[in-house]
Amino acid sequence: MDFVYELLRAGTSKDNADSGADVARKFNDNFKNVKDKFSELENEIKNAGSLKIPIGTEDLIGGVKSSDSENKVSIHEDGDMEVNSLNIKKLAQDDGDFIIIDGNI
């Protein structure tokens, strides 16, 4: 999210830590920022009828898309995720470990 919040300073002395008043102010300010952001999102949904959620990446929290394809993940209606069929080419192993595939021949 793109709102700004203040971190609390928990030091070892009064010189490098927030006072009780600072903690209370930062705590209240941070909650107000979160409340304001949720209000902004609610207004966006009311005006647009929907909310655009970006696709998640390594650095960005976002949505994911279900797939029934090999080596991909499907998402069930209850939100559970399941790995579909996994191609052996995707398997990895550490040096010194062995994968034994027994075709029962």
Side-chain angles (χ1 to χ4, degrees), residues 4-57:
V4 176
Y5 61 94
E6 291 185 77
L7 295 176
L8 301 177
R9 293 183 321 137
T12 56
S13 71
K14 70 177 186 172
D15 295 328
N16 65 2
D18 286 338
S19 68
D22 288 334
V23 169
R25 181 192 56 76
K26 287 180 179 182
F27 198 79
N28 289 331
D29 288 350
N30 290 343
F31 270 102
K32 182 183 178 310
N33 289 341
V34 170
K35 181 182 175 209
D36 291 346
K37 186 61 179 181
F38 275 107
S39 293
E40 180 184 317
L41 294 173
E42 284 177 341
N43 287 335
E44 185 177 332
I45 292 169
K46 284 178 187 173
N47 294 331
S50 64
L51 179 65
K52 184 175 180 183
I53 299 174
I55 299 294
T57 66

Side-chain angles (χ1 to χ4, degrees), residues 91-99:
L91 298 179
Q93 65 187 37
D94 295 330
D95 287 340
D97 289 347
F98 297 94
I99 297 175

Side-chain angles (χ1 to χ4, degrees), residues 41-101:
L41 294 173
E42 284 177 341
N43 287 335
E44 185 177 332
I45 292 169
K46 284 178 187 173
N47 294 331
S50 64
L51 179 65
K52 184 175 180 183
I53 299 174
I55 299 294
T57 66
E58 185 174 337
D59 299 319
L60 176 70
I61 295 173
V64 295
K65 181 171 81 168
S66 184
S67 173
D68 291 329
S69 299
E70 180 179 67
N71 297 323
K72 303 242 175 166
V73 175
S74 59
I75 305 169
H76 301 286
E77 285 186 24
D78 64 1
D80 285 345
M81 300 173 82
E82 178 180 9
V83 175
N84 298 324
S85 59
L86 186 62
N87 190 303
I88 196 161
K89 294 177 186 177
K90 287 287 187 177
L91 298 179
Q93 65 187 37
D94 295 330
D95 287 340
D97 289 347
F98 297 94
I99 297 175
I100 300 172
I101 300 173

